[in-house]
Amino acid sequence: MMRRDRASAMLGMVVELDEPGHAVVSMTVREDMLNGFAITHGGLVFALADTAFALACNEDERVTVAGGADITFLKSTTAGQKLTATAARRVVNGRNGLYDIAVTDETGDAVAEVRGRSIVTNRV
């Protein structure tokens, strides 16, 4: 999946860990990732979390996508900081899954928390 993920590659994301139900992805914030307040754009924090979520929920040959997600922003960051998203499966029931994704900065401080809901598609 990541070999074809041009968006994550463009953002400089690095897969640190990819195991069934668990993934860790990092990204260094660049100047062009800042919003008008000179802090990391929230959409890019979410994109990092979403990539870790996608890796964690795609455990086999079935294509699994996000059915929804909620994010809570806890701390702002800026250029030069390294963000890390850690995704963990909470439960899978049939075609539906629930995942928690924590985004932290290089000091380990919480930047955002995401709750993702996955659904297995009929795509292969």
Side-chain angles (χ1 to χ4, degrees), residues 13 17 21-26 44-57 65-74 83-91 97-105 109-118:
M13 292 184 195
L17 178 73
H22 186 223
V24 179
V25 180
S26 65
L44 299 177
V45 174
F46 183 82
L48 176 65
D50 189 48
T51 296
F53 173 34
L55 286 169
C57 70
V65 297
D70 299 298
I71 187 166
T72 301
F73 297 103
L74 302 167
L83 303 183
T84 301
T86 302
R89 176 189 342 106
R90 292 294 167 232
V91 65
L98 189 64
Y99 294 77
D100 286 333
I101 306 96
V103 179
T104 57
D105 66 12
D109 283 351
V111 172
E113 291 285 336
V114 178
R115 169 63 55 101
R117 297 171 301 281
S118 69

Side-chain angles (χ1 to χ4, degrees), residues 76-96:
S76 61
T77 58
T78 192
Q81 291 190 263
K82 181 180 179 180
L83 303 183
T84 301
T86 302
R89 176 189 342 106
R90 292 294 167 232
V91 65
V92 172
N93 186 1
R95 294 178 55 211
N96 300 297

Side-chain angles (χ1 to χ4, degrees), residues 19 30 60 64 118-119 121:
E19 299 175 346
R30 303 183 313 241
D60 54 32
T64 304
S118 69
I119 186 161
T121 70

